Amino acid sequence: MRSRCLPGRCGIARLSGAMADGSEDPAVFSSSSLPADPRLLATVTNAYLGTRVYRDTLHVSGVYSGAAGDTHRADVPSPANVHMAMPGAGGLDETFALDTRTGTFSHELRATDFVATQQIYAHYSLVHLMVVSITIRRSAHATRPITIQLQTPFEPKSQDLDLKQGPDFQGAHYVYGRTLVPEVRGGPCPAVHMLWTPVPGALTLRGEERERRWQFLTAVAGSEEGAKGSYRRGLACAAAGSLHRRHARAWAALWRGCSVELAGPLRLRRALRGSLFYLLSSITPHPVLPPHGISPGGVANGARGEDYWGHVFWDQETWIFPNILLFYPKAARAMLEYRIHTLEGALHNAREQGYEGAKFPWESAATGREVCPEEIYGAQEIHISGDVLLAFEQYYHTTQDQKLFREEGGWRLVCAVAQYWCSRMVWSEEEQCYHIRDVMPPDEHHCHVDNSAYTNAVAQRSLTFAADLARDLMFPVPEQWLRRARSIKVPFDAGKKYHPEYDGYSLGEPVKQADVVLLGFPLMHPMSPAVRRNDLEVYEPVTEPHGPAMTWSMFTVGWLELKEVQRAQALLNKCFSHITEPFKIWVENSDGSGAVNFLTGMGGFLQAILFGYTGFRITRSSLRFDPALPDDIHELNVTGVSYLGNKLRFSITREAMGIEVTESPRDPPALPLEAVLAGSGQRLPLHKGQRISLPTAAGCIRRPSPGTS
């Protein structure tokens, strides 16, 4: 990702343990005070809208303003920025908490005779709603009136929207408007319609009342009808006393289908829980909204001047997508649909640069055209197109969903990317192989290089997948795909037995972030264990120590592959310098600079657990496993793993592991599965509700071979 340090932010130190969460519950992050840096406040989001708590703006997925490189998430004024206070009251205990079980932020004021609790949440099932709820409850002996002050700086104005005031609706105020500047000339300016419950300056629990709750709703949609319908449904739920309960039920269902629990250090368990929570906050298991992609800072961030403007990068496919795919393939599918919907922009990008096919933008917003404000990244960091296709490949092998490719644009996209790679390659008479020249690899410290190992390897993988998919769909396979996949150069030093990052790379040159190590995972580029080890040994000491947060996760996966579990864990521990207290918000760089709520770093960290500790690998014919647990991890349980329509549970210790199919839908029918041990070849049928036990060793889950009962 391009380097973009915000004014006054570069060099800010990560918050230390001084504000560390004192709770033993790994699912609740609490503190008696808020972080001094407002960027590190908790975010409350769903797949459609989100905000940082106590921030005066919120954002809506897919709503951008600004042309080309200036396009950014449009700031929508937030009525949910409500502070609860009791000025002049002494002896108050104050707690701020983020409950990841229910996706709810709370602020509690506690005195001897009352408790006042504020909740803020982006409703997970009614996704157009943001809710602020305040409850005052008195002690049994108290009778005096209790008044809580509410402070809100809300003004219905925006620098990005032409907002107009409409008539009130069922007690709510109403504004509507469109973004001011389209992404491309003549393009659409998205509409925003917002209704909100007015917030008074104070709330009073009268002397005769024991408890009372006030609920303030904000409804946001792309149409007046949508906003009013959402507000009306919210009011009905509030009147029935079910508004928060319905939200909490949706989160409970989400966690039931997606559980990662380990017996190990509390710090690791909290980091795992927080990372998974923030990623899940960005998706819905059963998408109904048009897909708009996931940006590095999530929908809560991305205004002009922050968090890469809310643009979508390779971060979505390479770092976030595999974790979502493992549990919720429909949500992962929506991420792919975003790329299908922006394919016309990718075709435009390729034509503009003089190539055929589709060149996905380094930074994408609403149209798929390049919106990176710095030209060199869009022109040279072309591995993004291969990263996109790798996600399509992983999805296809996990689901066998041919409909996406036959009927819904997936095959056209695959063909267009393959065509792009073919047009981007040139034949070298001297080396008798294809080259890709003048690129920037993932290591953005270098540009204008030839034959980036990662870029060429991912291009090769794109072409191989395109050919394999064509055969599965019974389409003809263009010979040029096969020829170029066979004959592309992936730099390799046969004497030193490692992969140089690009032509002319000198040993010891500093590297920004994970690059060549990605050949081993996620690309699974063929190499011996000795070469894999050499790549790790060569690049670990020269990789920028305070660089992007996802880097050390990939080194961790590599060392786990080689069963160097303690070395792997030492590298994973470097990730903790990117996690801030008390709400487990990640920063892109360990000095505090870069994006915040950095989902990319969280995604890499989760992959170290979900693909490192387990050894999961998605291949054309199976889901492989090869567990490796560090000394301080005694057990790992992963529930909700999706494969070929089934849901599985894995329980792993150092000595033994159990595998169980927990769900096997009949409509459409899930494919039957078996477990196969790599060493002995033993085949164990998997049936719903029947747990099998086997030694902790390498193996795979696959469709049964003919003759297996």
Side-chain angles (χ1 to χ4, degrees), residues 126-140:
L126 302 173
V127 296
H128 294 274
L129 284 183
M130 188 80 70
V131 181
V132 176
S133 168
I134 296 176
T135 302
I136 306 176
R137 185 178 71 252
R138 73 171 70 252
S139 303

Side-chain angles (χ1 to χ4, degrees), residues 21 27-34 42 44 53-54 94-100 103-108 118-120 582-583:
D21 184 350
V28 179
F29 311 143
S30 62
S31 175
S32 59
S33 60
L34 294 172
V44 286
V53 296
Y54 305 133
E94 194 166 21
T95 303
F96 302 91
L98 177 66
D99 185 345
T100 65
T104 305
F105 179 85
S106 65
H107 174 207
E108 185 177 276
Q118 177 185 19
Q119 293 181 322
I120 306 172
F583 303 120

